[in-house]
Amino acid sequence: MEGAGKAAEALNSCITEQLVQWGADPAQFAPNGMPPAPLRRRDDWLSAEQLAKMEIKHDRSAMHAKYYLSISVDGKVDGCTRINPDSGKDDADRWICPALVSQHLFEPAHDSAGKAVRGVVSFMFDIVTAAR
């Protein structure tokens, strides 16, 4: 099991480095620091109306995209970037980020002293549309 622990530690280190590269304050990864915490389930970030508009505009039966969100010290989304842009452009790219930016979706990240710091989270967005 020692090898598994080292592998998990290496993976966490890579994830941390990537989040910092995208703009996360490294202080949240110090002992007693905290990354951003969602205030509600990811499935509830977008309204039913927003999802319905997506279904109307989207002509494929399924869509899969990865994004990262920048989280301000007040917990609001202040940036949104698609991670896998080479997987093709979708109509969703025109509305996912604008729909999420400015929303208060997270408890902000905190450093070891409890001070709010900039955070970053990544997420996958999958949608399957009804057959037409």
Side-chain angles (χ1 to χ4, degrees):
M1 291 309 246
E2 184 179 322
K6 287 182 180 181
E9 187 177 313
L11 177 61
N12 285 336
S13 178
C14 288
I15 292 169
T16 298
E17 287 177 28
Q18 182 64 74
L19 294 172
V20 169
Q21 183 181 7
W22 289 336
D25 187 320
Q28 69 188 283
F29 303 110
N32 298 319
M34 294 288 294
L39 296 173
R40 58 184 188 248
R41 293 173 352 129
R42 184 188 57 166
D43 290 347
D44 297 330
W45 288 357
L46 299 170
S47 70
E49 295 81 23
Q50 290 167 314
L51 292 172
K53 288 178 187 176
M54 165 57 189
E55 188 172 352
I56 292 167
K57 292 180 179 179
H58 196 66
D59 61 352
R60 294 189 318 185
S61 61
M63 188 206 88
H64 175 77
K66 298 175 188 175
Y67 294 84
Y68 71 86
L69 302 176
S70 302
I71 312 301
S72 68
V73 296
D74 65 0
K76 289 185 179 178
V77 176
D78 65 1
C80 176
T81 304
R82 187 164 177 174
I83 298 170
N84 59 339
D86 56 344
S87 66
K89 280 290 189 190
D90 295 288
D91 283 336
D93 284 346
R94 293 187 202 114
W95 64 268
I96 289 176
C97 287
L100 295 176
V101 169
S102 297
Q103 283 200 58
H104 186 230
L105 298 175
F106 292 86
E107 174 67 30
H110 290 86
D111 65 13
S112 60
K115 178 185 169 201
V117 296
R118 183 164 200 68
V120 172
V121 298
S122 63
F123 73 100
M124 287 184 267
F125 183 84
D126 291 299
I127 190 164
V128 177
T129 57
R132 297 180 192 222

mmCIF file of all heavy atoms in Angstrom, residues 19-20 23-30 32-39 69-78 104-121:
data_model
loop_
_atom_site.group_PDB
_atom_site.id
_atom_site.type_symbol
_atom_site.label_atom_id
_atom_site.label_comp_id
_atom_site.label_asym_id
_atom_site.label_seq_id
_atom_site.Cartn_x
_atom_site.Cartn_y
_atom_site.Cartn_z
ATOM 1 N N LEU A 19 -3.868 23.630 -10.871
ATOM 2 C CA LEU A 19 -4.780 24.658 -10.361
ATOM 3 C C LEU A 19 -4.051 25.976 -10.119
ATOM 4 O O LEU A 19 -4.583 27.049 -10.422
ATOM 5 C CB LEU A 19 -5.483 24.159 -9.095
ATOM 6 C CG LEU A 19 -6.444 22.983 -9.302
ATOM 7 C CD1 LEU A 19 -6.937 22.455 -7.957
ATOM 8 C CD2 LEU A 19 -7.598 23.358 -10.204
ATOM 9 N N VAL A 20 -2.839 25.899 -9.599
ATOM 10 C CA VAL A 20 -2.045 27.115 -9.386
ATOM 11 C C VAL A 20 -1.708 27.756 -10.731
ATOM 12 O O VAL A 20 -1.791 28.974 -10.890
ATOM 13 C CB VAL A 20 -0.776 26.812 -8.555
ATOM 14 C CG1 VAL A 20 0.185 27.992 -8.556
ATOM 15 C CG2 VAL A 20 -1.164 26.424 -7.128
ATOM 16 N N GLY A 23 -4.407 29.833 -11.854
ATOM 17 C CA GLY A 23 -4.680 31.038 -11.082
ATOM 18 C C GLY A 23 -5.043 30.857 -9.625
ATOM 19 O O GLY A 23 -5.306 31.834 -8.923
ATOM 20 N N ALA A 24 -5.086 29.627 -9.122
ATOM 21 C CA ALA A 24 -5.405 29.409 -7.709
ATOM 22 C C ALA A 24 -4.267 29.909 -6.828
ATOM 23 O O ALA A 24 -3.101 29.745 -7.166
ATOM 24 C CB ALA A 24 -5.657 27.931 -7.440
ATOM 25 N N ASP A 25 -4.610 30.509 -5.707
ATOM 26 C CA ASP A 25 -3.610 30.940 -4.732
ATOM 27 C C ASP A 25 -3.045 29.693 -4.053
ATOM 28 O O ASP A 25 -3.797 28.907 -3.477
ATOM 29 C CB ASP A 25 -4.269 31.855 -3.696
ATOM 30 C CG ASP A 25 -3.272 32.491 -2.747
ATOM 31 O OD1 ASP A 25 -2.311 31.809 -2.328
ATOM 32 O OD2 ASP A 25 -3.461 33.672 -2.417
ATOM 33 N N PRO A 26 -1.720 29.487 -4.099
ATOM 34 C CA PRO A 26 -1.136 28.284 -3.500
ATOM 35 C C PRO A 26 -1.363 28.181 -1.990
ATOM 36 O O PRO A 26 -1.277 27.092 -1.429
ATOM 37 C CB PRO A 26 0.360 28.392 -3.807
ATOM 38 C CG PRO A 26 0.561 29.595 -4.630
ATOM 39 C CD PRO A 26 -0.728 30.336 -4.749
ATOM 40 N N ALA A 27 -1.705 29.294 -1.335
ATOM 41 C CA ALA A 27 -1.902 29.278 0.115
ATOM 42 C C ALA A 27 -3.031 28.335 0.535
ATOM 43 O O ALA A 27 -3.018 27.794 1.639
ATOM 44 C CB ALA A 27 -2.188 30.689 0.617
ATOM 45 N N GLN A 28 -4.004 28.092 -0.348
ATOM 46 C CA GLN A 28 -5.110 27.200 0.018
ATOM 47 C C GLN A 28 -4.657 25.751 0.142
ATOM 48 O O GLN A 28 -5.337 24.939 0.771
ATOM 49 C CB GLN A 28 -6.233 27.306 -1.004
ATOM 50 C CG GLN A 28 -5.880 26.730 -2.360
ATOM 51 C CD GLN A 28 -6.920 27.015 -3.407
ATOM 52 O OE1 GLN A 28 -7.949 26.369 -3.421
ATOM 53 N NE2 GLN A 28 -6.644 28.000 -4.242
ATOM 54 N N PHE A 29 -3.494 25.409 -0.424
ATOM 55 C CA PHE A 29 -3.002 24.039 -0.384
ATOM 56 C C PHE A 29 -2.060 23.784 0.795
ATOM 57 O O PHE A 29 -1.616 22.665 1.000
ATOM 58 C CB PHE A 29 -2.308 23.690 -1.698
ATOM 59 C CG PHE A 29 -3.218 23.880 -2.887
ATOM 60 C CD1 PHE A 29 -3.002 24.912 -3.783
ATOM 61 C CD2 PHE A 29 -4.310 23.054 -3.082
ATOM 62 C CE1 PHE A 29 -3.851 25.108 -4.866
ATOM 63 C CE2 PHE A 29 -5.166 23.242 -4.156
ATOM 64 C CZ PHE A 29 -4.941 24.265 -5.052
ATOM 65 N N ALA A 30 -1.773 24.830 1.574
ATOM 66 C CA ALA A 30 -0.949 24.684 2.774
ATOM 67 C C ALA A 30 -1.755 23.931 3.842
ATOM 68 O O ALA A 30 -2.989 23.889 3.778
ATOM 69 C CB ALA A 30 -0.534 26.063 3.292
ATOM 70 N N ASN A 32 -4.036 23.166 6.721
ATOM 71 C CA ASN A 32 -5.180 23.926 7.254
ATOM 72 C C ASN A 32 -5.790 24.899 6.245
ATOM 73 O O ASN A 32 -6.711 25.629 6.584
ATOM 74 C CB ASN A 32 -4.832 24.661 8.556
ATOM 75 C CG ASN A 32 -4.455 23.696 9.653
ATOM 76 O OD1 ASN A 32 -5.088 22.654 9.808
ATOM 77 N ND2 ASN A 32 -3.420 24.015 10.395
ATOM 78 N N GLY A 33 -5.277 24.939 5.022
ATOM 79 C CA GLY A 33 -5.916 25.727 3.978
ATOM 80 C C GLY A 33 -7.110 24.948 3.429
ATOM 81 O O GLY A 33 -7.252 23.752 3.688
ATOM 82 N N MET A 34 -7.967 25.634 2.691
ATOM 83 C CA MET A 34 -9.163 24.994 2.144
ATOM 84 C C MET A 34 -9.396 25.452 0.710
ATOM 85 O O MET A 34 -9.353 26.653 0.438
ATOM 86 C CB MET A 34 -10.397 25.367 2.967
ATOM 87 C CG MET A 34 -10.407 24.845 4.386
ATOM 88 S SD MET A 34 -10.684 23.074 4.461
ATOM 89 C CE MET A 34 -12.337 22.963 3.853
ATOM 90 N N PRO A 35 -9.661 24.525 -0.215
ATOM 91 C CA PRO A 35 -10.020 24.910 -1.580
ATOM 92 C C PRO A 35 -11.453 25.446 -1.600
ATOM 93 O O PRO A 35 -12.182 25.314 -0.613
ATOM 94 C CB PRO A 35 -9.904 23.594 -2.358
ATOM 95 C CG PRO A 35 -10.174 22.543 -1.339
ATOM 96 C CD PRO A 35 -9.621 23.073 -0.041
ATOM 97 N N PRO A 36 -11.890 26.028 -2.714
ATOM 98 C CA PRO A 36 -13.274 26.487 -2.799
ATOM 99 C C PRO A 36 -14.237 25.305 -2.590
ATOM 100 O O PRO A 36 -13.947 24.187 -3.032
ATOM 101 C CB PRO A 36 -13.416 27.025 -4.228
ATOM 102 C CG PRO A 36 -12.031 27.167 -4.745
ATOM 103 C CD PRO A 36 -11.172 26.228 -3.969
ATOM 104 N N ALA A 37 -15.338 25.570 -1.929
ATOM 105 C CA ALA A 37 -16.336 24.527 -1.688
ATOM 106 C C ALA A 37 -17.649 24.941 -2.347
ATOM 107 O O ALA A 37 -18.121 26.068 -2.130
ATOM 108 C CB ALA A 37 -16.541 24.321 -0.190
ATOM 109 N N PRO A 38 -18.242 24.063 -3.151
ATOM 110 C CA PRO A 38 -19.498 24.429 -3.809
ATOM 111 C C PRO A 38 -20.614 24.638 -2.796
ATOM 112 O O PRO A 38 -20.702 23.930 -1.795
ATOM 113 C CB PRO A 38 -19.794 23.241 -4.721
ATOM 114 C CG PRO A 38 -18.990 22.110 -4.182
ATOM 115 C CD PRO A 38 -17.821 22.706 -3.460
ATOM 116 N N LEU A 39 -21.461 25.632 -3.072
ATOM 117 C CA LEU A 39 -22.595 25.925 -2.204
ATOM 118 C C LEU A 39 -23.818 25.088 -2.574
ATOM 119 O O LEU A 39 -24.750 24.977 -1.774
ATOM 120 C CB LEU A 39 -22.950 27.412 -2.272
ATOM 121 C CG LEU A 39 -21.868 28.354 -1.756
ATOM 122 C CD1 LEU A 39 -22.255 29.806 -2.021
ATOM 123 C CD2 LEU A 39 -21.643 28.122 -0.263
ATOM 124 N N LEU A 69 -13.106 27.013 -13.603
ATOM 125 C CA LEU A 69 -13.693 28.256 -13.138
ATOM 126 C C LEU A 69 -12.745 28.922 -12.162
ATOM 127 O O LEU A 69 -12.201 28.265 -11.273
ATOM 128 C CB LEU A 69 -15.019 27.990 -12.411
ATOM 129 C CG LEU A 69 -16.109 27.276 -13.192
ATOM 130 C CD1 LEU A 69 -17.306 26.999 -12.285
ATOM 131 C CD2 LEU A 69 -16.518 28.079 -14.408
ATOM 132 N N SER A 70 -12.564 30.225 -12.305
ATOM 133 C CA SER A 70 -11.816 31.018 -11.335
ATOM 134 C C SER A 70 -12.815 31.530 -10.304
ATOM 135 O O SER A 70 -13.876 32.042 -10.668
ATOM 136 C CB SER A 70 -11.135 32.204 -12.016
ATOM 137 O OG SER A 70 -10.274 31.751 -13.029
ATOM 138 N N ILE A 71 -12.456 31.381 -9.033
ATOM 139 C CA ILE A 71 -13.352 31.753 -7.950
ATOM 140 C C ILE A 71 -12.727 32.903 -7.165
ATOM 141 O O ILE A 71 -11.618 32.787 -6.650
ATOM 142 C CB ILE A 71 -13.612 30.562 -6.995
ATOM 143 C CG1 ILE A 71 -13.974 29.295 -7.774
ATOM 144 C CG2 ILE A 71 -14.661 30.932 -5.959
ATOM 145 C CD1 ILE A 71 -15.200 29.402 -8.649
ATOM 146 N N SER A 72 -13.437 34.018 -7.075
ATOM 147 C CA SER A 72 -12.930 35.204 -6.378
ATOM 148 C C SER A 72 -12.968 34.989 -4.867
ATOM 149 O O SER A 72 -13.529 34.006 -4.373
ATOM 150 C CB SER A 72 -13.771 36.425 -6.750
ATOM 151 O OG SER A 72 -15.074 36.289 -6.208
ATOM 152 N N VAL A 73 -12.398 35.937 -4.130
ATOM 153 C CA VAL A 73 -12.359 35.833 -2.674
ATOM 154 C C VAL A 73 -13.749 35.971 -2.045
ATOM 155 O O VAL A 73 -13.912 35.670 -0.867
ATOM 156 C CB VAL A 73 -11.376 36.857 -2.050
ATOM 157 C CG1 VAL A 73 -9.953 36.570 -2.490
ATOM 158 C CG2 VAL A 73 -11.782 38.279 -2.374
ATOM 159 N N ASP A 74 -14.741 36.395 -2.818
ATOM 160 C CA ASP A 74 -16.110 36.432 -2.287
ATOM 161 C C ASP A 74 -16.937 35.227 -2.737
ATOM 162 O O ASP A 74 -18.131 35.150 -2.453
ATOM 163 C CB ASP A 74 -16.808 37.747 -2.627
ATOM 164 C CG ASP A 74 -17.036 37.964 -4.114
ATOM 165 O OD1 ASP A 74 -16.650 37.096 -4.922
ATOM 166 O OD2 ASP A 74 -17.606 39.002 -4.470
ATOM 167 N N GLY A 75 -16.321 34.259 -3.430
ATOM 168 C CA GLY A 75 -16.995 33.036 -3.812
ATOM 169 C C GLY A 75 -17.720 33.089 -5.144
ATOM 170 O O GLY A 75 -18.366 32.132 -5.542
ATOM 171 N N LYS A 76 -17.598 34.211 -5.847
ATOM 172 C CA LYS A 76 -18.245 34.329 -7.151
ATOM 173 C C LYS A 76 -17.333 33.810 -8.259
ATOM 174 O O LYS A 76 -16.114 33.951 -8.190
ATOM 175 C CB LYS A 76 -18.615 35.781 -7.450
ATOM 176 C CG LYS A 76 -19.747 36.288 -6.600
ATOM 177 C CD LYS A 76 -20.143 37.682 -7.011
ATOM 178 C CE LYS A 76 -21.297 38.167 -6.155
ATOM 179 N NZ LYS A 76 -21.677 39.539 -6.494
ATOM 180 N N VAL A 77 -17.948 33.234 -9.282
ATOM 181 C CA VAL A 77 -17.206 32.812 -10.458
ATOM 182 C C VAL A 77 -16.835 34.072 -11.227
ATOM 183 O O VAL A 77 -17.695 34.860 -11.593
ATOM 184 C CB VAL A 77 -18.063 31.877 -11.347
ATOM 185 C CG1 VAL A 77 -17.323 31.526 -12.626
ATOM 186 C CG2 VAL A 77 -18.465 30.628 -10.584
ATOM 187 N N ASP A 78 -15.530 34.283 -11.442
ATOM 188 C CA ASP A 78 -15.121 35.484 -12.189
ATOM 189 C C ASP A 78 -14.326 35.145 -13.441
ATOM 190 O O ASP A 78 -13.805 36.017 -14.115
ATOM 191 C CB ASP A 78 -14.379 36.482 -11.302
ATOM 192 C CG ASP A 78 -13.053 35.988 -10.770
ATOM 193 O OD1 ASP A 78 -12.642 34.855 -11.090
ATOM 194 O OD2 ASP A 78 -12.412 36.744 -10.028
ATOM 195 N N HIS A 104 -22.675 33.376 -7.484
ATOM 196 C CA HIS A 104 -22.058 33.031 -6.200
ATOM 197 C C HIS A 104 -22.309 31.542 -5.963
ATOM 198 O O HIS A 104 -23.312 31.158 -5.379
ATOM 199 C CB HIS A 104 -22.661 33.880 -5.079
ATOM 200 C CG HIS A 104 -21.984 33.683 -3.770
ATOM 201 N ND1 HIS A 104 -22.670 33.425 -2.617
ATOM 202 C CD2 HIS A 104 -20.675 33.705 -3.427
ATOM 203 C CE1 HIS A 104 -21.815 33.297 -1.618
ATOM 204 N NE2 HIS A 104 -20.605 33.458 -2.095
ATOM 205 N N LEU A 105 -21.398 30.712 -6.463
ATOM 206 C CA LEU A 105 -21.572 29.265 -6.425
ATOM 207 C C LEU A 105 -20.687 28.567 -5.397
ATOM 208 O O LEU A 105 -20.858 27.377 -5.152
ATOM 209 C CB LEU A 105 -21.256 28.670 -7.807
ATOM 210 C CG LEU A 105 -22.143 29.118 -8.959
ATOM 211 C CD1 LEU A 105 -21.636 28.533 -10.269
ATOM 212 C CD2 LEU A 105 -23.584 28.715 -8.703
ATOM 213 N N PHE A 106 -19.737 29.293 -4.793
ATOM 214 C CA PHE A 106 -18.746 28.658 -3.927
ATOM 215 C C PHE A 106 -18.518 29.423 -2.640
ATOM 216 O O PHE A 106 -18.653 30.647 -2.591
ATOM 217 C CB PHE A 106 -17.388 28.562 -4.649
ATOM 218 C CG PHE A 106 -17.405 27.616 -5.807
ATOM 219 C CD1 PHE A 106 -17.810 28.036 -7.059
ATOM 220 C CD2 PHE A 106 -17.031 26.297 -5.640
ATOM 221 C CE1 PHE A 106 -17.849 27.166 -8.134
ATOM 222 C CE2 PHE A 106 -17.061 25.417 -6.708
ATOM 223 C CZ PHE A 106 -17.469 25.844 -7.957
ATOM 224 N N GLU A 107 -18.143 28.687 -1.636
ATOM 225 C CA GLU A 107 -17.497 29.258 -0.462
ATOM 226 C C GLU A 107 -16.064 29.448 -0.942
ATOM 227 O O GLU A 107 -15.471 28.534 -1.531
ATOM 228 C CB GLU A 107 -17.553 28.260 0.701
ATOM 229 C CG GLU A 107 -16.791 28.673 1.928
ATOM 230 C CD GLU A 107 -17.379 29.883 2.633
ATOM 231 O OE1 GLU A 107 -18.601 30.094 2.572
ATOM 232 O OE2 GLU A 107 -16.582 30.627 3.233
ATOM 233 N N PRO A 108 -15.485 30.646 -0.773
ATOM 234 C CA PRO A 108 -14.138 30.851 -1.330
ATOM 235 C C PRO A 108 -13.082 29.965 -0.675
ATOM 236 O O PRO A 108 -13.282 29.455 0.424
ATOM 237 C CB PRO A 108 -13.859 32.332 -1.045
ATOM 238 C CG PRO A 108 -14.781 32.703 0.052
ATOM 239 C CD PRO A 108 -15.979 31.812 -0.061
ATOM 240 N N ALA A 109 -11.963 29.820 -1.375
ATOM 241 C CA ALA A 109 -10.808 29.123 -0.817
ATOM 242 C C ALA A 109 -10.276 29.958 0.358
ATOM 243 O O ALA A 109 -10.499 31.173 0.420
ATOM 244 C CB ALA A 109 -9.729 28.976 -1.890
ATOM 245 N N HIS A 110 -9.576 29.294 1.273
ATOM 246 C CA HIS A 110 -8.993 29.987 2.430
ATOM 247 C C HIS A 110 -7.569 29.515 2.652
ATOM 248 O O HIS A 110 -7.255 28.347 2.414
ATOM 249 C CB HIS A 110 -9.816 29.708 3.693
ATOM 250 C CG HIS A 110 -11.150 30.364 3.679
ATOM 251 N ND1 HIS A 110 -12.251 29.788 3.093
ATOM 252 C CD2 HIS A 110 -11.559 31.560 4.156
ATOM 253 C CE1 HIS A 110 -13.291 30.589 3.215
ATOM 254 N NE2 HIS A 110 -12.894 31.678 3.861
ATOM 255 N N ASP A 111 -6.730 30.425 3.135
ATOM 256 C CA ASP A 111 -5.372 30.042 3.504
ATOM 257 C C ASP A 111 -5.393 29.449 4.912
ATOM 258 O O ASP A 111 -6.454 29.323 5.527
ATOM 259 C CB ASP A 111 -4.407 31.223 3.370
ATOM 260 C CG ASP A 111 -4.679 32.371 4.336
ATOM 261 O OD1 ASP A 111 -5.470 32.206 5.306
ATOM 262 O OD2 ASP A 111 -4.098 33.445 4.132
ATOM 263 N N SER A 112 -4.232 29.096 5.432
ATOM 264 C CA SER A 112 -4.160 28.440 6.742
ATOM 265 C C SER A 112 -4.627 29.332 7.884
ATOM 266 O O SER A 112 -5.010 28.839 8.940
ATOM 267 C CB SER A 112 -2.738 27.941 7.012
ATOM 268 O OG SER A 112 -1.830 29.026 7.008
ATOM 269 N N ALA A 113 -4.633 30.654 7.695
ATOM 270 C CA ALA A 113 -5.112 31.583 8.725
ATOM 271 C C ALA A 113 -6.612 31.860 8.595
ATOM 272 O O ALA A 113 -7.172 32.619 9.374
ATOM 273 C CB ALA A 113 -4.328 32.898 8.634
ATOM 274 N N GLY A 114 -7.259 31.278 7.578
ATOM 275 C CA GLY A 114 -8.689 31.487 7.395
ATOM 276 C C GLY A 114 -9.047 32.656 6.503
ATOM 277 O O GLY A 114 -10.227 32.962 6.321
ATOM 278 N N LYS A 115 -8.036 33.311 5.923
ATOM 279 C CA LYS A 115 -8.284 34.427 5.019
ATOM 280 C C LYS A 115 -8.708 33.899 3.645
ATOM 281 O O LYS A 115 -8.110 32.966 3.117
ATOM 282 C CB LYS A 115 -7.007 35.259 4.876
ATOM 283 C CG LYS A 115 -7.129 36.413 3.914
ATOM 284 C CD LYS A 115 -5.788 37.119 3.726
ATOM 285 C CE LYS A 115 -5.889 38.084 2.570
ATOM 286 N NZ LYS A 115 -4.580 38.421 2.031
ATOM 287 N N ALA A 116 -9.749 34.502 3.075
ATOM 288 C CA ALA A 116 -10.210 34.085 1.752
ATOM 289 C C ALA A 116 -9.144 34.402 0.704
ATOM 290 O O ALA A 116 -8.543 35.477 0.720
ATOM 291 C CB ALA A 116 -11.516 34.791 1.401
ATOM 292 N N VAL A 117 -8.920 33.443 -0.189
ATOM 293 C CA VAL A 117 -7.946 33.602 -1.276
ATOM 294 C C VAL A 117 -8.581 33.129 -2.581
ATOM 295 O O VAL A 117 -9.615 32.459 -2.591
ATOM 296 C CB VAL A 117 -6.638 32.814 -1.003
ATOM 297 C CG1 VAL A 117 -5.910 33.357 0.222
ATOM 298 C CG2 VAL A 117 -6.898 31.318 -0.868
ATOM 299 N N ARG A 118 -7.956 33.486 -3.682
ATOM 300 C CA ARG A 118 -8.444 33.109 -5.012
ATOM 301 C C ARG A 118 -8.358 31.595 -5.192
ATOM 302 O O ARG A 118 -7.377 30.960 -4.823
ATOM 303 C CB ARG A 118 -7.586 33.813 -6.058
ATOM 304 C CG ARG A 118 -8.012 33.565 -7.470
ATOM 305 C CD ARG A 118 -7.365 34.607 -8.388
ATOM 306 N NE ARG A 118 -8.082 34.689 -9.610
ATOM 307 C CZ ARG A 118 -9.315 35.162 -9.771
ATOM 308 N NH1 ARG A 118 -9.961 35.618 -8.748
ATOM 309 N NH2 ARG A 118 -9.902 35.191 -10.942
ATOM 310 N N GLY A 119 -9.384 31.027 -5.788
ATOM 311 C CA GLY A 119 -9.412 29.592 -6.024
ATOM 312 C C GLY A 119 -9.745 29.269 -7.469
ATOM 313 O O GLY A 119 -10.154 30.140 -8.237
ATOM 314 N N VAL A 120 -9.563 28.017 -7.822
ATOM 315 C CA VAL A 120 -9.908 27.513 -9.150
ATOM 316 C C VAL A 120 -10.479 26.111 -8.966
ATOM 317 O O VAL A 120 -9.972 25.329 -8.163
ATOM 318 C CB VAL A 120 -8.672 27.465 -10.078
ATOM 319 C CG1 VAL A 120 -8.989 26.764 -11.385
ATOM 320 C CG2 VAL A 120 -8.140 28.867 -10.346
ATOM 321 N N VAL A 121 -11.526 25.813 -9.708
ATOM 322 C CA VAL A 121 -12.079 24.462 -9.729
ATOM 323 C C VAL A 121 -12.223 24.029 -11.182
ATOM 324 O O VAL A 121 -12.384 24.864 -12.071
ATOM 325 C CB VAL A 121 -13.446 24.365 -9.017
ATOM 326 C CG1 VAL A 121 -13.321 24.739 -7.550
ATOM 327 C CG2 VAL A 121 -14.484 25.228 -9.688
#
